[in-house]
Each structure stands twice: as C-alpha cells, then as structure tokens.
Amino acid sequence: MSLIQLLPDHIANQIAAGEVIQRPASVVKELMENAIDAGATKVDVNIKESGKSLIQVVDNGSGMSADDALLCFERHATSKVRKADDLFSLVTKGFRGEALASIAAIAHVEMRTKLADDATGTQINIEGSKVVNNTETVCPNGTSFEIKNLFYNVPARRNFLKSNKVEFRHIQDEFERVALAHSSIHFTLTHNDSEIYNLMLGVLRKRVVDVLGKKTNDRLVPIEESTDIVELNGFVLKPEYARKTRGEQFLFVNDRFFKSTYFNHAINKAFEGLLKERTYASYFLYLNVDPQKIDVNVHPTKTEIKFEEEKFIYSILLSSIRQALGKYNIAPTLDFERETSFDLPMDMKSKPVSEPVIKVNPDYNPFHSTSNRNTTSFSGGSSGKKSENFSQAITKHGFGTKETSSADWENFYTIDEAPEEEEPAPLIEDETSPGISQFLIKGNYIFTPTKSGLMVIHARRAYEQILYTDLISSFITSPLQSQALLFPIEKELSKNELVAWESNAMMLKQLGFVGEVKEGELHLSAVPSVLQDETIQKALDRIVETIAHRDIEKGEIAHELVHSISKSASMKKMNLNSKEAVNDIIERLFQCENHAFTPGNKKIIDTLSLEGIDEKFR
Ligand code: ADP
Ligand code: MG
C-alpha cells in the first residue's frame, strides 16, 4: 500500500484558504471583486462585528444558473480563464477560481443567485465545504452572499484575529481600494447597521472626494498623461496637505489596486523639496496598460504586480507629476486659509434665507469692476497674510519683470504685428531686459512670455474659474446678486423638472433665481446678475439638467449649480480689447486658489518651455 495519499478536498481547500483568506477583509475583497466581474452596477456590503459574525455582499450582476451555483464552490472553478494564454490578457479581478472554494471551506456560507432571464433563483448553503442545502428560491437578479462563523473550524486563525476596530479598519481599506477603482459602480458599506459609505456613481474626482471627504476637492492636483505604453490619470494632493502617515497612497493598474515601492519612489521624487519633513505625499493614480504587459499572478492576494515596462512607467510618473505640481505652483495660492467650505450651502437649509437683493443693472459687467471687490486685494495686502500681484508672482517664479507700457502692448496685441527681433534673443538671455511682460491675444488665448518659455491662458476658461470662485465664496455668506428681468421668462418644463425646481427652490433663490411654478410652467422674474441676455437660457437649461436629470449628491448640488451659472456666464463674448482688461483677468485668475483648472477640470493654463520651443525650430 502506498504511503502517499491525496488529501481529501475539504482539507486541501482549508489549506489553500490560508493563503487567500487571511482575515474578514479578504472575504470582503474577494466577494466585491466577484460582483464587479459579474458586471454589477450596485454592490452593497453589510458587516456585523467587523465580519466576525456577518459579511454580506449583495450585487445586481449577472447571477448564476443552478448548475454554476454549485460549481462555483469547487476549487479551480472559474468562468474567467479557459486556457493558459488567458492568464496574459486578464481583464477580470479573479481568475484563480479559489476564493469561493476557500471561503466555503472555513465558514458557513449562504448564497442566493438568479439570472435575469430566469423566473426563480438558487439558494445554496455550504458549511466547511459541505453542501447542506440546495434549493430553488425566489430572489432578486444578481447574487448575494452571507458569510457567518468565519474560521469556525480553524481556531488558530480565529484566535489570531485582531480587535474589532483593527479588523474593521482592514475591511474599510479593502472597500476603499475597490471603490476608488470603480467610480462607475454604486457601493455602500454598512457596519453594525450604521452606514459608513454610500458612494453614488460619478466621475473619478467625485469618487475620490466622496471617499476622502469634501475638503479634498480643493486639494487635488490632476495628473494626466497618455503614451503608447501607459495611460496615466488621477490626482496627487497638493504638497502642503501631505500626511504624517502613508495612509492615502493609492496606485491602480487596469482598475486593480496594487503596491509598488519602485513607483512610490518615483512619486516621492516628484515631490522632492516640496514636502515638510516626515510627511508623505498622498496620491490616487490610475495606470492603464496592455494586460499582456503585466503579470498579476505573482502574489496570492494580488497586490504586487510585475510590469514589463517598469522603467518607462517610472519616468512617466516622475515627469508628469513634477509638471503638474510645477503648474500648480506657478503662483502659489495667496490665501489658503480662506478655504471655501463645501458643506456650507447645505447648512443653509437650517438657517433662515434672506431675500435676494434685486437690482436692475443692465450695464453690469463683471469684467470691469475690480476696485470694489471684497476679495483679497492684490495691491492692498491688508491682512497680515502675504499677498502678491501677478507681476510679483511672475517675478518670483521666473517670468518677465517689467510693467507693460502701452506702446509695448500695442506692439504685441496681435501676432501679425509682433515686432521683428532686432537683436538676437535679448528677451531670454538677459533676465533684466526691458519689455518682457507683454501679452498677446489670439482667439481665445492669452500668451505671455516667461523667463522659462511661454505661458498660454485659455481666456474663457480663466473667466469661468474666476466667476466660479467669486460666486461660490459670496454664495456661502449671502444670496447672490439678482437682476429683475424686463420680460419675465416662461419656460415649459416636464412634470419631473418642475418638481425638481420646487424642491430646490430655496437654493435657487439663494442663487438669484426668482420664479414660480404656474400651470405647469416656470415663470422666472429675476436671474443672477452675472448672467447676460444671451447666457440666461443656457444657464437655465444647465440648471434644470442638473437638478432633474443628474445623479448628484445633495451636498454637491450647490456647487454644481454655481458651476452651471459660471460656465454659462463665461460663454458671452469677452471684451479683452485693453491691456487693463487682460491684466485684470490674469490677476484675478491668479487669485483663485485653483487657477490651473476649471471646476469641470478643464485646463486653463499651459506653459511651453524654452526647450520645447527650441525643439520646434530644430
Ligand atoms: P474567480 O473569481 O477567480 O473566478 P471565485 O472562486 O471567486 O473565482 O469565483 C468562481 C466563479 O464563480 C467565478 O469565476 C464566477 O463565474 C462565479 N461567481 C462568483 N461570484 C459571482 C457573483 N457575485 N456573480 C456571478 N458569478 C459569480
Ligand atoms: Mg473571484
């Protein structure tokens, strides 16, 4: 008789489980990933006692047939890899077919699953790899798992679990990693019946802000780079908000969280010289690479990944983050303390709302009024805080130094009339050479020479950002200025839109819209003063769209509406015919905390480096 025997399945599974399932958080991760692989658009995670008594994951994904429902608990049962080659082109999270077999080996599992086309579903109960119940059942489309008594038959594991607090922290970490990688999926997390997260779907920025808190929004510096080998996008946090711990460092490749000391090094290098001692940069960076060029199979829980083009990606990370931080640093923010709180507009619900001030002012032109603005004044520098004007900022950061004279201005006003160089390159070689800071405008762009090249500003976007920043800060303290319409607007809206208008009436009033719903129509008698004739309709359409048709969290609505107003208002023809007007827009842009991007995350400023320009003439 042979001494060697094959281990019975349930023991083999139990041993394998040790590798895949280390703690409750591992179960949460595996089940969430399966839900995503099954195409779910909503995933609910419900935890009791840090997963020690219950882990429940419910999805609205594909579901399984009665046959698959049984098969999925078999070891190496997977629908995701059919042949060895598939391993090199994985787009799913799972592929080993180990997770469910492992979980079933060491816990009590109840699964209910149903295909959308079937009338009924299947319920399976399995305990220590033994199927104890397999019945037809009535249940919603998709799949739900309930895991109880985790590690009931592996006392060593159970005893090694940490306190509830620590174990829940692990669960939350896994949840955040998955949620941050999939902003187009609605996730909820509940612990002991209290809701920890309810993450509505939205753009990546929204997801990051929803996970990290509203304050984060103003602190994000967008990163975007696209090359043949890797597409990079995401955010880093401005260096002054660096953390004392490494908590907020997230790297994803093809929507999968991973860790990499090598890439982390590249990112830290990009921050060199910008961080306070013993603080760590925060980042949320998403790489997209050809799945053939990575190997996710190196680590059982798959947080380490091998990259074929590691060195190239390193340099892309380094250069694009440096560049983004550089851009954001063109003129350091002048007024950090005055952070516009994102929560305030919501709080107004509990405060009595004062009547909007209605003034008819047909000549209102936000462009021409810098003197009576109550934002931090550049020239005044009244508070103790440092305040600098654009030319100071420019000097400091290596841009031209001299005030523009009208003559210079005239010369540079259009590209065609730009003067020929009389002497070779005095503009660049001699830092103190006169006449450097002229602007020239062509189409939508303002060009201004800098010591290190040429800065280009998208004028309309700059204006949008200025309006947005102004409106948001005044909106927080008082209603926006409103102007009465000579001819009230009557707008036909759908029932649903009218309801949305009425339920947001208070906030809309605060924004300067005065109107009422009459016989199924909206009658508007006043609108925010920033809006001009031609932009009112556009703004109205955007606002109706926002309140009635977009899935926006309550706390975000005010911002979205102010965004709509500033965007519409910025669409009017701009009058940039004078040096003063251009100067004004630039100065005001640099007063905005975020002067590099619009609220919709569109680029406002770009710089062409001298090297880049040289390159073009080679
Ligand atoms: P893997 O994810 O590596 O394939 P698992 O053990 O996690 O292995 O899952 C086994 C199989 O069960 C999957 O390949 C999939 O076909 C099926 N499955 C698991 N979870 C779900 C789910 N939530 N919805 C639909 N099918 C699922
Ligand atoms: Mg899986």
Side-chain angles (χ1 to χ4, degrees), residues 29-31 33-35 37 77-78 80 93-100 302:
K29 169 176 188 267
E30 293 296 338
L31 296 181
E33 290 190 343
N34 279 348
D37 285 345
T78 178
K80 299 165 197 171
K93 310 274 152 215
F95 55 89
R96 292 162 181 260
E98 268 177 351
L100 292 184
K302 294 166 281 180

Side-chain angles (χ1 to χ4, degrees), residues 30-40 57-59 61-64 68 71-81 92-103 111 113 142-145 302:
E30 293 296 338
L31 296 181
M32 285 178 83
E33 290 190 343
N34 279 348
I36 293 165
D37 285 345
V57 176
V58 183
D59 72 52
S62 64
M64 282 178 266
D68 282 350
L71 255 180
C72 72
F73 293 105
E74 295 287 328
R75 202 135 89 89
H76 305 305
T78 178
S79 54
K80 299 165 197 171
V81 174
T92 54
K93 310 274 152 215
F95 55 89
R96 292 162 181 260
E98 268 177 351
L100 292 184
S102 300
I103 295 167
M111 180 185 78
T113 187
T143 306
S144 80
F145 278 95
K302 294 166 281 180

Side-chain angles (χ1 to χ4, degrees), residues 324-368:
L325 288 173
K327 230 178 262 170
Y328 145 72
N329 266 324
I330 288 174
T333 303
L334 308 168
D335 210 356
F336 266 121
E337 264 83 358
R338 202 202 59 188
E339 189 181 71
T340 42
S341 158
F342 271 31
D343 298 316
L344 256 165
M346 270 315 289
D347 294 344
M348 280 168 184
K349 288 228 154 99
S350 52
K351 278 200 302 191
V353 176
S354 45
E355 275 293 314
V357 192
I358 301 185
K359 271 209 304 225
V360 185
N361 181 4
D363 298 328
Y364 182 75
N365 180 351
F367 247 109
H368 286 153

Side-chain angles (χ1 to χ4, degrees), residues 423-580:
E423 287 166 26
L427 229 68
I428 301 149
E429 272 173 12
D430 181 359
E431 283 180 25
T432 58
S433 72
I436 298 189
S437 61
Q438 297 91 349
F439 306 112
L440 89 216
I441 307 163
K442 204 72 183 170
N444 219 342
Y445 301 101
I446 301 171
F447 297 81
T448 178
T450 71
K451 199 174 95 186
S452 53
L454 185 68
M455 179 161 68
V456 187
I457 300 174
H458 191 293
R460 194 207 56 76
R461 290 183 187 167
Y463 185 35
E464 180 187 339
Q465 179 63 10
I466 291 167
L467 286 175
Y468 175 80
T469 309
D470 273 10
L471 292 178
I472 229 30
S473 56
S474 44
F475 175 66
I476 283 166
T477 50
S478 56
L480 295 188
Q481 207 180 54
S482 181
Q483 57 170 329
L485 295 167
L486 281 180
F487 304 101
I489 294 177
E490 287 167 19
K491 197 170 167 62
E492 224 178 287
L493 298 179
S494 73
K495 185 131 187 82
N496 167 16
E497 290 165 343
L498 288 171
V499 170
W501 187 279
E502 283 190 315
S503 61
N504 287 288
M506 191 99 103
M507 174 142 25
L508 289 161
K509 200 168 173 188
Q510 183 85 4
L511 287 166
F513 288 97
V514 180
E516 53 184 335
V517 173
K518 268 193 244 162
E519 290 149 14
E521 275 194 339
L522 175 68
H523 293 238
L524 261 194
S525 53
V527 297
S529 326
V530 282
L531 294 173
Q532 310 277 308
D533 296 345
E534 74 254 37
T535 58
I536 295 175
Q537 279 298 344
K538 192 89 214 139
L540 253 183
D541 291 343
R542 283 208 172 90
I543 283 183
V544 169
E545 172 73 22
T546 304
I547 55 177
H549 304 293
R550 286 175 56 197
D551 185 13
I552 297 173
E553 253 192 286
K554 265 202 209 144
E556 303 273 348
I557 286 186
H559 271 260
E560 282 300 325
L561 295 183
V562 174
H563 180 185
S564 305
I565 294 173
S566 41
K567 176 142 194 169
S568 310
S570 74
M571 291 295 179
K572 79 166 176 46
K573 252 191 124 43
M574 270 192 274
N575 178 11
L576 291 177
N577 284 335
S578 70
K579 182 181 75 180
E580 286 73 29

Side-chain angles (χ1 to χ4, degrees), residues 221-225 232-236 285 317 320-322 324-325:
V221 179
I223 307 290
E224 218 168 319
E225 192 69 65
L232 168 67
N233 65 77
F235 305 93
V236 297
L285 295 170
L317 277 169
S320 49
I321 297 173
R322 262 211 188 136
L325 288 173

Side-chain angles (χ1 to χ4, degrees), residues 14 82 97 111 117 136 146 162 176 283 309 311 316 381 394 409 423-424 448 475 485 488 519 554 594:
Q14 205 172 315
R82 296 261 178 253
M111 180 185 78
D117 288 343
E136 198 178 342
E146 276 189 19
K162 301 265 167 50
E176 287 174 2
Y283 52 82
E309 311 275 2
K311 293 216 173 81
I316 289 292
I394 267 187
W409 170 257
E423 287 166 26
T448 178
F475 175 66
L485 295 167
E519 290 149 14
K554 265 202 209 144
N594 179 1

